[in-house]
Amino acid sequence: ALSAPLRLAAAPHWQKVVSPHFTIYTDGSANDARDWAVNLEAFEQSLQQLFPIDDRSLAPVTVVLFRNDRAFRPFKLRNRSGHADEDEAGVFMQWNGRFLIAINVSDEETARRIVFLNATHWYISAFLRQIPLWLETGLAEVYSTYIAYGGHVTVGYPIDDCVDAFKVTPLLPLRDLMAVTLGSPYYKVEPNAAFFNAESWAFVHCLLQGKKGAWRPDLGHFVRLFEAGMGPVDAFTAAFPDGIDGMERSFDDYVRSGSYATYVVTTDLAAIEQAVVSGPASEAEVQVALADLYLSQQRNDEAFAYVLRAAALAPDDVRVLEAQADLALARGNNDRAIDFYRRAAAAGSRFYL
């Protein structure tokens, strides 16, 4: 059971790249890892310009970049029958106060949308109040097309599946769209959920890019009012001068036009690059990162060998102690988990019970 992780961890070329919000491990190119770090930090800054938050409230993110599908395959998500999606190029998981990304960099184009869609949810998780489903879904879809290049970032490229949805299905009235929650009977029907996602994308795209971006400050105002405790309809009415009914007409015209312009945000990519630090990764920290990928999927037996190896290499390391606590907790050994969490806390851990 130990041989597979030992062979993987013994590879001398694992690299580590650290930026303010992301820690990246890779068994491939360090330059690729630096590019991902810069892209992810620029992504965070682009959302800061739209919805400023105290970024100290953002949970740290661990990213594992695998050089090819063969290396990535063991860590792909499994369905109920235990099989992985062979076409999967990236996964993004939230677990135990952490966010984890795993990417097959040989299929980066596919992975990018998965990563940035879910990175939007990561950013939104730091808001003071959970925003309405239409807004979170729409923002995630819009920002899933994020690209950083030449000193600025661009989001809002048209998504074919979303655009095509409106050719066969009429738009939901905005009041109905705003009323949908994860528990709504409407949302629990798969075709409806897919169309809800498409319309949410289009509506947020409209709010960002309609009237040449004139509604963008109103969208930020809406979020601030909502976070302050106003209901979603009242906050929208107060934030947007035309109200819901006026916006309904504008939104219908926007979709009918079929013109979805991109949204450009200026960022200082050079300054971001200077804040990125890279170097060799220790064998123990790689073992912990890989164990976390398994633990986040409740694949505890597969995680065990990685945690065991990490503990043998660096028994007093804070992340190793956290991993041992996480594994014990996942296996139902609460007393042992508490002991490891206490030791981790004494060593400076941010994640303890």
Side-chain angles (χ1 to χ4, degrees):
L2 290 177
S3 59
L6 284 174
R7 285 198 301 270
L8 185 60
H13 58 270
W14 278 94
Q15 298 291 312
K16 177 182 179 180
V17 174
V18 179
S19 65
H21 300 96
F22 303 92
T23 299
I24 301 178
Y25 300 97
T26 183
D27 64 348
S29 166
N31 288 335
D32 284 347
R34 291 188 68 90
D35 287 345
W36 271 100
V38 171
N39 269 261
L40 286 163
E41 290 294 346
F43 175 88
E44 189 271 344
Q45 288 189 12
S46 70
L47 281 169
Q48 280 281 10
Q49 293 186 38
L50 187 62
F51 304 111
I53 62 170
D54 181 350
D55 65 1
R56 292 174 298 180
S57 61
L58 284 167
V61 182
T62 298
V63 184
V64 182
L65 302 180
F66 295 98
R67 64 189 181 277
N68 54 37
D69 186 69
R70 181 179 179 182
F72 174 52
R73 188 177 300 126
F75 302 93
K76 292 182 178 183
L77 299 178
R78 300 294 192 261
N79 58 27
R80 291 181 179 179
S81 61
H83 297 105
D85 180 356
E86 290 301 317
D87 295 327
E88 188 172 67
V91 296
F92 196 116
M93 293 160 287
Q94 180 178 2
W95 166 78
N96 200 24
R98 302 182 181 91
F99 287 80
L100 305 165
I101 302 173
I103 301 168
N104 169 16
V105 294
S106 68
D107 191 10
E108 182 174 316
E109 185 175 348
T110 303
R112 286 185 66 87
R113 188 175 174 202
I114 297 169
V115 168
F116 290 115
L117 184 146
N118 285 285
T120 309
H121 295 299
W122 161 74
Y123 187 86
I124 290 171
S125 71
F127 284 16
L128 298 177
R129 182 182 178 193
Q130 185 174 359
I131 60 176
L133 184 61
W134 65 267
L135 179 53
E136 179 162 354
T137 300
L139 281 172
E141 293 288 350
V142 168
Y143 273 79
S144 73
T145 64
Y146 161 96
I147 292 176
Y149 181 76
H152 60 264
V153 303
T154 305
V155 297
Y157 289 95
I159 299 173
D160 291 343
D161 289 346
C162 294
V163 175
D164 291 345
F166 311 129
K167 297 176 181 178
V168 295
T169 306
L171 293 172
L172 284 173
L174 284 184
R175 292 180 186 274
D176 292 346
L177 182 78
M178 293 180 178
V180 174
T181 67
L182 290 175
S184 298
Y186 173 89
Y187 192 79
K188 292 181 179 180
V189 179
E190 174 52 35
N192 292 346
F195 186 78
F196 172 84
N197 291 350
E199 184 168 343
S200 297
W201 165 79
F203 187 43
V204 171
H205 202 292
C206 174
L207 297 178
L208 290 173
Q209 285 299 87
K211 292 180 66 175
K212 298 181 180 181
W215 289 318
R216 212 172 292 151
D218 298 334
L219 182 58
H221 188 203
F222 164 75
V223 170
R224 291 192 296 273
L225 292 174
F226 182 77
E227 286 190 308
M230 289 186 70
V233 173
D234 290 341
F236 194 92
T237 301
F240 290 88
D242 294 338
I244 294 178
D245 294 334
M247 187 58 70
E248 185 111 49
R249 293 187 292 271
S250 297
F251 177 46
D252 186 67
D253 291 340
Y254 190 80
V255 172
R256 287 178 183 275
S257 75
S259 177
Y260 298 97
T262 55
Y263 168 38
V264 177
V265 183
T266 301
T267 58
D268 190 346
L269 296 180
I272 295 173
E273 170 72 26
Q274 291 178 358
V276 175
V277 179
S278 59
S282 74
E283 193 171 341
E285 61 188 334
V286 171
Q287 294 292 317
V288 170
L290 298 177
D292 282 348
L293 292 178
Y294 280 133
L295 286 169
S296 67
Q297 301 178 49
Q298 299 181 328
R299 295 163 64 183
N300 303 329
D301 291 342
E302 291 163 286
F304 172 73
Y306 290 86
V307 175
L308 188 66
R309 176 62 174 164
L313 291 165
D316 298 321
D317 182 89
V318 62
R319 283 294 291 116
V320 174
L321 293 169
E322 289 172 353
Q324 291 178 94
D326 293 339
L327 179 61
L329 187 65
R331 288 182 155 184
N333 192 336
N334 294 344
D335 290 341
R336 186 171 175 80
I338 290 171
D339 179 59
F340 278 120
Y341 280 128
R342 284 173 174 164
R343 291 173 59 188
S349 173
R350 292 178 56 191
F351 300 97
Y352 57 89
L353 296 181

